Amino acid sequence: MVQAYISGTGFYVPPRVVTNDDLIRNYGVDTTSEWIVQRTGIEARRFADEGVGTSDMAALAARDALAAATLQPHDLDLIIVATLSPEHAFPGSGVFLQQKLGLCDGDNAKFVPALDVRNQCSGFLYALSTAVAHVRAGMAKHVLVCGAETHSAALDLSTDGRTVSSLFGDGAGAVIVSATDADRGVRGVYLGADGRFAEVLCQKIWDIRKRPFIPKNPDRSGTVAPEMLWASMDGKLVFKHAVGTMLGALMRACGNNNIGIEDIDLFLFHQANMRINQFIAHQLHVPDEKIPHNIQRYGNTTAATIPILLAECVRDGRLRPGMKVAMAAFGSGFTWGSAIIDW
Ligand code: UT7
């Protein structure tokens, strides 16, 4: 049976570093670096400049991953973008990315399908699962999976919004999922969701049940109330569920593959909060060196956290051929996922 493996990884983070102190200095947020570091582990994040969107960063990460896989954009059969911050309400970022990869240009155009996955912090694992299914079914040979977010434009960077805005940053990660006859690659992706918690962490912007969906002014412009405009979160509830659910998702992944936690060489966790990941590591008796973090430098980049961390680990040699990798994520929805990969 054909297997799906990750043939290339890449990432892009914007150059502008915003430290915790910059949030105070440049935006006037009433916080302290100690508060943010102690609660989350975050020291800085990256913010993209005006004019830069999700598919711009995804395109740079994608080109990085294609180069690592020694492939060209025209080798792709499918594009999947996981994001909660697409350029527009519709269409999704996938089609903008396709265009930016040059796939719509001239006589050589290749109009491959392009789709967006809307699963927030677990978006990358939902997208990976879709890519693997396409490859295993013989529907695609090479699939581009990007997790990319432009959070900075949609954060309430005032004291009112500090609980959410101090956590998030911009960036993009990408992988190429390719077909192989070798006995390696993605062994399984295990997904779950619990819609009872759909509004615990959400950004509403509009209510489509209303006519019109956004209150209209006499001049035909719309007005969005602050509670609709900005993301809201019950942080303590998310934290509690994240720990238990990610533990369960990892146990499920191990059980389905007849392996123990001790068989895993590297754990790539969603980077929402270093305390969540350290708590899970402690519960599973996993040594620190098996759980890399980059939340200190990038904050929470939602769908991009796992592919950025993966690309960094490949680049600096922490992830080498023959190693067994576990991934786990949890977030808004609630949605979650885990994966086992023989690298
Ligand atoms: O990737 C998506 C998934 N998201 C997560 O996994 C996030 C999970 N949750 C968390 O990481 C934590 O709940 C947070 C780090 C978000 C918050 O930590 P917490 O210990 O749960 O704080 P809290 O929200 O209960 O707030 C405690 C206090 C509040 O003040 P009062 O009401 O007690 O006076 C907040 O206003 O801390 C205040 N606070 C802040 N103070 C300084 C909230 N944010 C800040 C801040 N700086 N940035």
Side-chain angles (χ1 to χ4, degrees):
M1 181 187 158
V2 79
Q3 300 291 330
Y5 81 112
I6 293 179
S7 59
T9 64
F11 77 103
Y12 173 81
V13 288
R16 185 149 60 99
V17 178
V18 177
T19 64
N20 294 341
D21 284 334
D22 289 337
L23 291 180
I24 304 163
R25 243 190 328 256
N26 302 342
Y27 299 95
V29 180
D30 178 12
T31 186
T32 63
S33 188
E34 292 71 33
W35 193 99
I36 300 173
V37 171
Q38 269 173 18
R39 296 253 191 341
T40 68
I42 299 167
E43 293 164 19
R45 72 285 292 141
R46 303 295 180 95
F47 280 0
D49 287 335
E50 170 100 31
V52 175
T54 296
S55 64
D56 296 307
M57 290 187 283
L60 293 166
R63 289 200 182 273
D64 200 18
L66 284 163
T70 58
L71 295 172
Q72 300 296 324
H74 281 79
D75 294 317
L76 296 172
D77 304 306
L78 171 65
I79 293 171
I80 309 177
V81 177
T83 187
L84 64 70
S85 47
E87 270 77 6
H88 304 301
F90 71 85
S93 290
V95 291
F96 292 105
L97 174 58
Q98 179 197 32
Q99 210 179 316
K100 285 169 187 165
L101 289 175
L103 286 167
C104 307
D105 296 347
D107 294 342
N108 203 18
K110 186 174 178 188
F111 297 112
V112 296
L115 68 96
D116 279 31
V117 165
R118 298 275 313 266
N119 283 71
Q120 300 73 245
C121 302
S122 40
F124 175 73
L125 289 176
Y126 271 75
L128 181 66
S129 169
T130 308
V132 168
H134 272 77
V135 168
R136 285 200 185 141
M139 293 164 67
K141 203 168 162 212
H142 300 292
V143 182
L144 169 63
V145 177
C146 289
E149 304 287 2
T150 317
H151 283 308
S152 56
L155 294 174
D156 178 6
L157 288 161
S158 72
T159 299
D160 286 345
R162 65 184 177 179
T163 311
V164 170
S165 63
S166 52
L167 307 179
F168 293 95
D170 301 340
V175 303
I176 312 296
V177 178
S178 298
T180 179
D181 293 327
D183 184 21
R184 63 178 290 208
V186 183
R187 299 304 188 186
V189 186
Y190 312 97
L191 306 173
D194 186 344
R196 289 174 299 173
F197 298 95
E199 297 196 349
V200 167
L201 169 49
C202 66
Q203 186 170 16
K204 293 184 177 165
I205 306 277
W206 67 70
D207 184 343
I208 207 74
R209 296 166 301 186
K210 292 198 172 146
R211 309 288 182 272
F213 69 136
I214 289 172
K216 214 171 82 178
N217 302 317
D219 66 357
R220 295 176 62 244
S221 65
T223 301
V224 181
E227 65 274 15
M228 300 293 278
L229 184 57
W230 307 115
S232 63
M233 169 173 72
D234 179 341
K236 281 200 186 339
L237 191 66
V238 176
F239 193 111
K240 197 176 116 209
H241 281 264
V243 170
T245 309
M246 281 170 69
L247 273 169
L250 282 167
M251 300 316 290
R252 181 178 166 202
C254 285
N256 283 10
N257 288 276
N258 293 316
I259 56 170
I261 288 290
E262 66 285 358
D263 297 320
I264 294 163
D265 300 302
L266 201 66
F267 292 82
L268 299 177
F269 290 158
H270 171 50
Q271 304 286 295
N273 186 321
M274 203 190 276
R275 309 289 163 249
I276 293 177
N277 295 352
Q278 286 169 336
F279 193 80
I280 294 169
H282 181 73
Q283 294 289 105
L284 297 175
H285 307 291
V286 174
D288 286 348
E289 61 271 18
K290 283 192 178 182
I291 307 207
H293 295 282
N294 59 16
I295 192 170
Q296 310 92 307
R297 290 175 282 130
Y298 304 141
N300 182 349
T301 57
T302 310
T305 62
I306 292 179
I308 293 177
L309 189 60
L310 174 67
E312 285 192 330
C313 288
V314 170
R315 194 163 286 186
D316 67 19
R318 271 177 293 179
L319 180 51
R320 298 175 297 281
M323 290 174 79
K324 197 176 282 295
V325 182
M327 296 173 172
F330 176 88
S332 160
F334 292 150
T335 60
W336 59 87
S338 59
I340 300 290
I341 303 176
D342 282 318
W343 198 255

